[in-house]
């Protein structure tokens, strides 16, 4: 599910009516720490969208959606990925945002999503050495003009998968193959490219077998009435 946040109705999105009633203290602190207005607006609107969407699935108002942290896969500490309470949780979700675009995934099983803006050639050259050897080889075979887009799509798959397994980038980027050959990607997961937009690439990773193209739709996000 894709969300394109609208421009905020006020200079500070945290000052919009109802926002402070929905976002928790950690979200408010994080939003307030973002100096660029565009970054703060994207953060606020994407988190409002997430809570509104989860509330619809859980049949509670957005302001009543509770979020917890899963145990860290590495050390077991209480700073893993965000989740809704429950053993097992009633649903799983993932949120990603990058340069004006946010992506939200919701599933009955562990899920990860990622959206990336296509970088410049310099970024590709700097990041390529950290990739899986087979991924590097694939990029090396491409003409220079095609490498940024291919790298962005590859990185979106990689981050989606790492979010899905719960490690994030604490797991080395070279540990898993998320290249162009679906047959060689991690066993037990379905990793799918999503339609890109506005110079972005996107991907979703779902535990188990998933439809070839998951349901994707735009979600309008406004700051006017987030508490319903």
């Amino acid at each position: 599910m894709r969300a394109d946040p609208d421009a905020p109705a006020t200079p500070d999105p945290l000052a919009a009516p109802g926002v402070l009633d929905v976002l928790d203290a950690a979200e408010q602190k994080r939003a307030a720490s973002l100096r660029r207005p565009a970054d703060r607006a994207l953060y606020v609107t994407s988190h409002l969208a997430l809570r509104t969407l989860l509330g619809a699935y859980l049949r509670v108002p957005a302001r009543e959606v509770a979020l917890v942290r899963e145990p860290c896969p590495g050390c077991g500490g209480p700073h893993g990925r965000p989740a809704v309470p429950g053993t097992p949780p009633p649903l799983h979700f993932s949120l990603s945002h990058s340069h004006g675009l946010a992506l939200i995934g919701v599933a009955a099983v562990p899920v990860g999503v990622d959206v990336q803006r296509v970088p410049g050639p310099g970024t590709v050259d700097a990041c390529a050495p950290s990739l899986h050897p087979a991924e590097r080889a694939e990029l090396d075979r491409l003409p220079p003009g095609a490498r940024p887009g291919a790298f962005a799509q590859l990185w979106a798959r990689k981050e989606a998968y790492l979010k899905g397994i719960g490690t994030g980038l604490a797991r080395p980027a070279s540990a898993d193959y998320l290249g162009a050959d679906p047959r060689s990607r991690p066993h037990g997961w379905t990793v799918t490219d999503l339609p890109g937009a506005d110079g972005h690439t996107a991907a979703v990773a779902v535990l188990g077998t998933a439809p070839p193209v998951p349901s994707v739709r735009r979600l309008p996000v406004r700051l006017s009435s987030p508490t319903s």
Side-chain angles (χ1 to χ4, degrees):
M1 181 168 291
R2 184 180 291 119
D4 297 307
D6 294 335
T10 64
D12 183 355
L14 286 173
V19 168
L20 297 183
D21 295 329
V22 178
L23 301 185
D24 64 22
E27 289 169 318
Q28 293 177 36
K29 182 178 180 180
R30 173 60 179 156
S33 72
L34 299 173
R35 293 191 172 187
R36 293 183 67 245
D39 292 340
R40 184 180 294 187
L42 178 60
Y43 181 91
V44 170
T45 51
S46 62
H47 281 252
L48 289 176
L50 173 65
R51 287 180 172 275
T52 299
L53 186 59
L54 294 178
Y57 278 105
L58 299 172
R59 298 185 179 183
V60 300
R63 63 178 178 274
E64 295 180 13
V65 172
L67 298 179
V68 297
R69 287 281 182 176
E70 294 182 344
C72 171
C75 68
H79 50 263
R81 63 183 174 186
V84 294
T87 308
L91 54 80
H92 299 261
F93 68 89
S94 181
L95 167 65
S96 176
H97 43 73
S98 173
H99 298 88
L101 192 67
L103 182 66
I104 299 170
V106 179
V109 295
V111 60
V113 300
D114 191 67
V115 58
Q116 293 285 329
R117 188 170 70 169
V118 177
T123 299
V124 178
D125 292 340
C127 296
S130 68
L131 298 175
H132 187 280
E135 297 169 346
R136 295 200 302 269
E138 288 179 3
L139 288 176
D140 288 342
R141 289 194 293 268
L142 295 175
R147 294 183 74 209
F151 172 83
Q153 189 63 70
L154 162 65
W155 198 260
R157 291 187 210 113
K158 189 173 292 286
E159 285 216 40
Y161 171 69
L162 295 177
K163 290 177 183 178
I165 64 176
T167 64
L169 291 174
R171 182 176 175 86
S174 61
D176 309 285
Y177 172 82
L178 276 302
D181 183 4
R183 298 168 299 178
S184 300
R185 295 174 190 166
H187 178 71
W189 284 79
T190 300
V191 183
T192 305
D193 296 343
L194 298 179
D198 304 324
H200 290 75
T201 61
V204 57
V206 181
L207 180 64
T209 302
V213 181
S215 175
V216 180
R217 64 183 178 88
R218 290 187 180 275
L219 177 67
V221 180
R222 299 186 183 279
L223 293 174
S224 55
S225 57
T227 57
S228 60

